[in-house]
Amino acid sequence: MSDKDSRIEDFGDKIIDGKKIAAFIESSLKEKIDYLKNNGIVPCIYVILIGDNPASVIYVRNKENAANRCGIMSKKIVLPVNISENELLNKINELNDDSLVHGILVQLPIPPHIDENKIMEAISSNKDVDGFHPFNEGKIFTGNSSFYPCTPFGIVKMLDYSNIELKGKNVVIIGQSIIVGKPLSIMLMNRNATVSALNIYTNNIRCWTNMADILISATGKAHLINESFVKDGCVVVDVGIAKLDGKICGDVDFDSVIKKVSKITPVPGGVGPVTVAVLMENTVNAALQFLSNS
Ligand code: NAD
């Protein structure tokens, strides 16, 4: 597999460059951040990391780096893996009550002895910059949520940025998680796409994927998708993050599908950086909402 830079060089017109789009989103926040600072507010996000899962440590570091680039204050709380649910809830409540904190994120996955739903519900819906509070998730249906989940929102932004029409398109999403597939399905329906959402029990997924104008894969199964899954001219969004022969890769076998697709997001350098940029945008918007309510 060729690395990301040579892909951009070789297939530039086909690549949806996540790093470039993330940089655009981050730079477009500058005006809002300056406005907040002129009003005495530094947007602030707290990230809670439980344990030392290596992937989570990297994701949290990426978020801290993005916050530093944007001029957002970023604080990390590292808790032991055996922390009790009550202790975690107390910590979240402290942050909910702190008027200097605008965004709270608990890095997933969390240890199995803690009820993830309870934690998501405990975060104030006004500080829910990950967009996983049921109140904000519910508002996706009406298209007026204050905080859309970062990965699905990032994917919609990437398609918009690339001038890819959604209305009337057959969109096939592989994966139905609460983090990606489910909210993304609704967000794309809100844009009048015809959406099919597949899961591990779907029979013959090729039947579905071969009809896709836009194929979005979020399974975490390395190179699940090859050229036999895509029709000519398809737009492919690869959300998956996996490892093959020690290298990061996505759900999509890039080298196999590149001949057929009209556009594709690479891994790495695709959906990941945009997800982080959207988190920054949600944090800035949380701070703006705080200012307008105070
Ligand atoms: P998940 O395990 O919660 O859900 C996976 C979904 O894929 C399930 O609905 C499952 O039924 C489906 N699935 C699995 N194998 C399948 C198969 N062979 N055929 C059809 N469906 C299949 O995972 P998740 O949290 O949604 O994450 C999915 C992937 O996306 C992971 O690799 C994760 O690391 C990545 N991810 C990336 C970002 C990012 O910012 N780039 C953000 C979130 C998740």
Side-chain angles (χ1 to χ4, degrees), residues 151 174-177 180 199-200 218-221 224 239-241 271-272 275:
T151 301
I174 317 178
Q176 295 181 352
S177 73
V180 186
N199 63 44
I200 191 137
T219 70
K221 301 282 157 61
L224 173 71
V239 188
I241 302 173
V271 175
T275 294

Side-chain angles (χ1 to χ4, degrees), residues 44-75:
C44 171
I45 179 170
Y46 265 73
V47 178
I48 299 178
L49 173 64
I50 304 163
D52 59 0
N53 175 311
S56 294
V57 170
I58 293 171
Y59 296 148
V60 169
R61 195 184 307 138
N62 290 343
K63 290 165 189 173
E64 288 175 315
N65 289 342
N68 289 339
R69 280 196 300 273
C70 293
I72 292 171
M73 189 185 295
S74 154
K75 302 269 187 187

